[in-house]
Amino acid sequence: MLKASDVMGCMMGHKVRTNVNAQSSAISALLIALVSISGATLTACSPSSTPPSPTSQSASTTDSSANGNNASATPNASIASTTAAVPNQLTIYTSIDKAALEPLLTSYARQVNVPIHIVQDEPMSILARLKAEGANSPADVILTEDAGIFSTAVEEGLLQPFNAEKAVAHVPERYRDPDGNWIALSSYARTAVYDSRVLHTNDISSYADLSKLKWSQKLCLSQGKYIPNQSLVVNLINNLGDQRTQEVMQGWLANLSVPVLLDDNEVLKAIESGKCQIALVNSNHYGRYLQAHPDTPIKIKWINKGYGGVSTNITGVAIPHAAKHTELALGLIEWLAAKDQQSLYASLSNTFPIDPNAEASVLLKSWGDIEVSPIPVRFYGERQAMAVDSMQQAGYY
């Protein structure tokens, strides 16, 4: 089990070459002071006396990320030099906030005595990296969000199937790839956020309701090419049928107060500045925004209760086809999927653990009860082309 003392002791022992800002995580002072850095190197922690490790190597964690938390960030030019695998080092490509991952991965590196190198980037840019690097890619693990991303990676031959029996024991079938190319670690919802200065939670009901005339000049949307929207449309087609879903999307477009925006972060900034009053975003993106802007008037509402449930998606983990350290990667996957690590990872990333026996964070519980759509998350990839066709016909692409 991961202990707060392990994480705190390891993090306090790091030497950082850049400025370090202490932050509170979603589960606050009980665990750690997060290190929020860009392009920093963390020195080795001394190994645990009894490491519960699948290996017996020496431990440290190296962090070298891309450009921060912005979903549209471009790769850091320095990453080009990391096109070769390093012996006995795990390299992780991730879209998850590196400040959230650092304490978790630092603890694991200490236990298994293997350095971990973190490269942060936007999900589609991670796929572009893998394609560009080919067989020379240093990536051993992909940790990112949206089942549609994983499906695209499988179609493009970028992943390899793996057998993680210990991990699967903690992952319900709805959250697994039947071919074993990826498994989920946590989930989040694509739901409504609103300006509490002008709206109340009781004003909001369903996805379809946002297409009604009462929301004219009040709605913000991110672009149709943004994959979270494609996954949402898969869910809508599953619940409403294609024709009704197209009508809903056309209503959304008619209600826009500004042209479609790049991504969730831009949508949240538009609400903050008063350009619109309501929007659809991923709940984990809202959680990250809330932590950075604790005084924001933006509130979240679990949408679609009584209408089929809110659309949920995943953060998940996979092994690239070109991975050089598959046994080390498999050990990390099984460790992350265990109940205690799931709970901590989910709390740090503002997501829900998918093990039914694991606890959600205090923050997410404070957002109220949630009714979840039962659609298997693999549909988001399998039916993505159908969703894109529907979006094009509706003019939302």
Side-chain angles (χ1 to χ4, degrees):
M1 180 185 297
L2 177 61
K3 298 179 181 178
S5 58
D6 292 337
V7 180
M8 291 182 68
C10 193
M11 294 300 288
M12 290 173 66
H14 289 316
K15 295 179 181 178
V16 183
R17 295 177 305 183
T18 54
N19 292 332
V20 178
N21 298 317
Q23 298 180 348
S24 295
S25 72
I27 51 177
S28 69
L30 177 62
L31 293 173
I32 47 168
L34 292 180
V35 179
S36 178
I37 56 178
S38 178
T41 299
L42 306 179
T43 61
C45 294
S46 41
S48 170
S49 58
T50 56
S53 163
T55 69
S56 58
Q57 327 244 343
S58 69
S60 69
T61 299
T62 302
D63 172 54
S64 176
S65 92
N67 295 334
N69 299 332
N70 191 331
S72 61
T74 55
N76 188 316
S78 67
I79 297 304
S81 64
T82 65
T83 54
V86 177
N88 297 321
Q89 173 180 284
L90 263 176
T91 297
I92 300 175
Y93 283 8
T94 184
S95 63
I96 309 303
D97 181 9
K98 65 173 182 153
L101 285 179
E102 278 166 1
L104 195 60
L105 296 180
T106 296
S107 177
Y108 183 73
R110 180 185 180 190
Q111 292 179 46
V112 300
N113 297 340
V114 172
I116 295 179
H117 183 71
I118 304 172
V119 177
Q120 185 181 340
D121 212 335
E122 185 268 334
M124 287 302 293
S125 293
I126 288 174
L127 301 191
R129 282 175 182 269
L130 293 175
K131 291 174 68 175
E133 293 165 347
N136 294 321
S137 177
D140 299 304
V141 175
I142 304 303
L143 180 55
T144 190
E145 58 188 87
D146 204 301
I149 293 289
F150 289 107
S151 179
T152 299
V154 171
E155 291 173 4
E156 296 183 356
L158 299 176
L159 303 181
Q160 60 174 288
F162 58 89
N163 183 12
E165 293 182 3
K166 292 180 182 178
V168 166
H170 299 279
V171 179
E173 185 176 359
R174 175 177 176 249
Y175 296 103
R176 293 185 237 144
D177 174 33
D179 297 321
N181 292 290
W182 53 265
I183 60 170
L185 293 178
S186 67
S187 68
Y188 55 85
R190 190 143 187 88
T191 192
V193 289
Y194 63 96
D195 187 343
S196 64
R197 294 168 297 193
V198 292
L199 295 177
H200 188 274
T201 184
N202 294 335
D203 299 327
I204 307 158
S205 59
S206 68
Y207 298 111
D209 180 69
L210 294 178
S211 67
K212 293 180 179 178
L213 187 61
K214 69 179 183 178
W215 297 109
S216 179
Q217 299 293 306
K218 295 181 175 68
L219 182 66
C220 272
L221 290 176
S222 50
Q223 60 182 333
K225 292 183 180 181
Y226 188 46
I227 286 184
N229 289 325
Q230 297 171 20
S231 298
L232 171 60
V233 170
V234 169
N235 201 302
L236 293 181
I237 293 173
N238 188 74
N239 289 344
L240 303 175
D242 185 40
Q243 185 58 45
R244 177 58 181 144
T245 297
Q246 288 188 41
E247 293 170 357
V248 168
M249 288 188 286
Q250 289 167 352
W252 290 350
L253 295 172
N255 287 339
L256 290 178
S257 62
V258 295
V260 293
L261 300 165
L262 179 66
D263 56 25
D264 285 355
N265 193 51
E266 294 301 310
V267 166
L268 289 162
K269 289 193 290 187
I271 297 177
E272 185 92 35
S273 64
K275 293 179 181 177
C276 56
Q277 297 178 12
I278 190 167
L280 297 170
V281 302
N282 287 350
S283 57
N284 57 328
H285 296 168
Y286 168 73
R288 186 173 62 199
Y289 188 88
L290 179 63
Q291 289 173 332
H293 306 86
D295 297 324
T296 182
I298 304 174
K299 304 294 183 185
I300 191 168
K301 165 69 180 285
W302 299 129
I303 204 169
N304 234 43
K305 285 185 179 179
Y307 298 92
V310 71
S311 177
T312 57
N313 211 314
I314 62 162
T315 74
V317 64
I319 300 177
H321 180 73
K324 308 302 188 296
H325 306 112
T326 54
E327 290 188 11
L328 292 176
L330 188 60
L332 175 62
I333 289 171
E334 291 185 334
W335 186 80
L336 286 171
K339 185 183 75 169
D340 292 328
Q341 277 72 250
Q342 264 198 48
S343 292
L344 180 54
Y345 166 77
S347 295
L348 293 169
S349 58
N350 298 306
T351 55
F352 292 97
I354 43 95
D355 185 332
N357 297 314
E359 283 287 323
S361 70
V362 173
L363 176 64
L364 267 65
K365 287 179 179 179
S366 73
W367 295 344
D369 296 332
I370 182 171
E371 179 187 330
V372 173
S373 169
I375 182 174
V377 295
R378 70 177 188 274
F379 283 6
Y380 297 136
E382 295 172 359
R383 303 180 182 183
Q384 188 177 50
M386 177 179 65
V388 169
D389 181 67
S390 183
M391 297 170 85
Q392 288 173 334
Q393 292 186 53
Y396 179 36
Y397 196 75

